[in-house]
Amino acid sequence: SRYRVWVFPVYFQGRTAKGDAYLAVFPLGGRIRQFATRDEIEFVLFPVWLRHRVNDVVTTSWLFPLISSTSGDGQRRFRVFPLYGYARREGFYSKRFILWPVWTEAEWVLPEGTGRGYILFPLWGRTRIPNDETLMILPPFFRFTRGERRNLTYCPWPFIQHVQGQDLEKLCLWPLWGRKTTENEQSQFFLWPVGSTRRIDRPETTYRQVSVLPFFQSRTERWNEP
């Protein structure tokens, strides 16, 4: 039968429902099963050597978390942080960094085609996916996105933000004034965080909120007639 005897975080002993026994004394070494979202964890003189498994994906680390290697389920990852690292998943993406965060790049496999992007931090960045292109200057302060679903301008973030899209309309002159509109919600602020308003329209109810800190606050919810 399954049992556990744990003296956290020093001593771990037990047996899983499948009859697999384990024993570990932290940080000297051992094996732990079904712990911290991992199916199995092994270590020797932590953080010198560590291996953990989730389903068929196995990650081995040396001097955790600086050096690690991962493989399984179509995935492959390797890093010597912060010098170099990559991550690949077949049919989904390929990513790489050099001297993180100075250089990062990625390639994605999307239903509508292939996308690519890179950032030379803190100077420049660019991403291109089908029907969407983003340019970044001194990221994250200046960003310009033009796409089929949404156009976005940060110039500079967070002080000036302008978004126009199918699911979102936003104009922000922070901290003076700002407005955001989605399909079911409208909100505004002035002299953030002093004043704000919010309205949410649901099929059954309409919710309204008005706040002028620290003097006044009102919340109402009205049931709509069928």
Side-chain angles (χ1 to χ4, degrees):
S1 61
R2 178 182 180 182
Y3 78 93
R4 289 180 177 177
V5 178
W6 290 5
V7 183
F8 187 83
V10 179
Y11 184 82
F12 302 85
Q13 181 179 355
R15 181 171 55 231
T16 68
K18 296 181 179 180
D20 298 322
Y22 61 87
L23 173 66
V25 178
F26 186 85
L28 299 180
R31 175 182 297 166
I32 311 173
R33 299 183 188 273
Q34 299 176 351
F35 176 72
T37 72
R38 304 294 191 265
D39 294 328
E40 184 177 83
I41 299 175
E42 297 178 273
F43 62 92
V44 176
L45 297 177
F46 182 86
V48 174
W49 184 85
L50 171 71
R51 174 180 292 164
H52 61 81
R53 177 178 60 85
V54 179
N55 297 325
D56 296 327
V57 181
V58 178
T59 299
T60 303
S61 302
W62 300 266
L63 297 177
F64 176 85
L66 300 180
I67 305 172
S68 69
S69 176
T70 301
S71 62
D73 193 25
Q75 301 182 52
R76 179 65 181 168
R77 299 193 297 268
F78 175 78
R79 74 166 180 239
V80 181
F81 189 82
L83 302 179
Y84 174 79
Y86 69 83
R88 301 188 184 101
R89 187 173 182 182
E90 296 177 7
F92 290 91
Y93 58 76
S94 175
K95 305 176 182 179
R96 183 174 65 154
F97 72 81
I98 301 174
L99 296 177
W100 188 92
V102 175
W103 177 263
T104 56
E105 62 181 8
E107 180 174 337
W108 305 276
V109 178
L110 306 172
E112 60 270 25
T114 301
R116 294 180 176 86
Y118 65 86
I119 295 180
L120 178 61
F121 187 82
L123 302 177
W124 178 272
R126 196 161 197 166
T127 62
R128 291 180 178 178
I129 62 176
N131 305 316
D132 197 302
E133 183 171 352
T134 295
L135 171 66
M136 292 170 282
I137 302 172
L138 300 178
F141 300 109
F142 297 90
R143 176 179 170 181
F144 308 92
T145 297
R146 298 295 178 266
E148 182 177 308
R149 295 184 63 252
R150 183 177 296 180
N151 294 330
L152 180 150
T153 301
Y154 293 164
C155 189
W157 180 87
F159 304 104
I160 301 177
Q161 304 177 49
H162 186 209
V163 182
Q164 291 179 306
Q166 299 176 2
D167 55 350
L168 175 64
E169 296 284 336
K170 180 179 180 180
L171 178 60
C172 176
L173 306 175
W174 190 85
L176 301 179
W177 176 83
R179 179 183 65 198
K180 182 173 72 172
T181 303
T182 63
E183 182 180 359
N184 300 316
E185 182 175 347
Q186 297 177 348
S187 61
Q188 295 188 67
F189 74 84
F190 60 90
L191 298 179
W192 187 91
V194 174
S196 65
T197 65
R198 187 182 185 191
R199 172 173 173 162
I200 303 176
D201 294 307
R202 303 185 181 97
E204 301 85 5
T205 63
T206 299
Y207 173 85
R208 290 185 176 91
Q209 175 180 309
V210 179
S211 178
V212 181
L213 298 177
F215 308 105
F216 174 81
Q217 189 172 67
S218 171
R219 298 179 181 178
T220 62
E221 188 168 5
R222 179 173 61 87
W223 289 89
N224 300 323
E225 295 182 2

